[in-house]
């Protein structure tokens, strides 16, 4: 959402100075705090386990577009490809039309093929082998 992005940058520059740049890590921190707050409100507690479960599925209209927290605790986000200008700023040359849902473990790398991540289940967590059937 270009308007949400402009508002985010304007508010940041109003607070920290008109020449300050905004970065992807700044947006990521903003998203993290807001999703955590939503999850705490949904869980009704600050206890980590209920909050960990409550954050799954949370959505936020972030400066770069809507994000959704997946069960693997990675966010769906819109892909943007930019060209770096001499000033250090980026010119966006492509924007995806829909969010990309992340897969934390590549099925093309031997050490992670067949593994997944699901933080809703404490026994699985961040790296578990997906059950498969040989045919």
């Amino acid at each position: 959402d270009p308007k949400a992005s402009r508002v985010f940058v304007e508010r940041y520059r109003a607070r920290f100075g008109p020449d300050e740049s905004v970065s992807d890590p700044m947006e990521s921190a903003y998203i993290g705090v807001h999703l955590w707050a939503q999850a705490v409100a949904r869980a009704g507690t600050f206890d980590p386990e209920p909050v960990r479960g409550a954050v799954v599925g949370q959505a936020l209209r972030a400066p770069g577009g809507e994000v959704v927290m997946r069960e693997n605790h990675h966010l769906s986000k819109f892909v943007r490809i930019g060209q770096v200008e001499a000033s250090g700023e980026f010119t966006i040359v492509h924007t995806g039309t829909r969010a990309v849902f992340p897969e934390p473990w590549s099925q093309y790398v031997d050490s992670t093929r067949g593994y997944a991540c699901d933080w809703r289940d404490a026994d699985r967590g961040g790296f578990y082998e997906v059950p498969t059937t040989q045919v």
Side-chain angles (χ1 to χ4, degrees), residues 32-58 69-71 73 119-120:
V33 168
H34 285 272
L35 287 177
W36 174 81
Q38 287 177 195
V40 166
R42 183 177 179 192
T45 180
F46 290 104
D47 294 338
E49 289 303 318
V51 171
R52 183 178 294 140
V55 76
V56 174
Q58 291 292 317
M69 179 67 75
R70 307 292 292 177
E71 67 280 351
H73 282 198
W119 287 103
R120 295 173 299 179

Side-chain angles (χ1 to χ4, degrees), residues 25-109:
M26 291 173 174
E27 183 196 25
S28 294
Y30 174 88
I31 291 168
V33 168
H34 285 272
L35 287 177
W36 174 81
Q38 287 177 195
V40 166
R42 183 177 179 192
T45 180
F46 290 104
D47 294 338
E49 289 303 318
V51 171
R52 183 178 294 140
V55 76
V56 174
Q58 291 292 317
L60 178 71
R61 288 191 56 165
E66 184 178 69
V67 298
V68 178
M69 179 67 75
R70 307 292 292 177
E71 67 280 351
N72 55 28
H73 282 198
H74 290 253
L75 297 174
S76 63
K77 291 184 83 173
F78 284 84
V79 173
R80 290 179 180 78
I81 299 173
Q83 177 179 327
V84 181
E85 303 297 337
S87 66
E89 296 291 319
F90 288 87
T91 298
I92 302 299
V93 297
H94 173 78
T95 300
T97 58
R98 61 184 178 192
V100 173
F101 293 99
E103 293 294 335
W105 303 113
S106 175
Q107 300 308 301
Y108 300 101
V109 175

Side-chain angles (χ1 to χ4, degrees), residues 5-17:
S5 182
R6 280 194 301 278
V7 169
F8 181 78
V9 172
E10 288 168 2
R11 290 178 66 199
Y12 182 84
R13 288 182 174 161
R15 184 168 182 172
F16 297 106

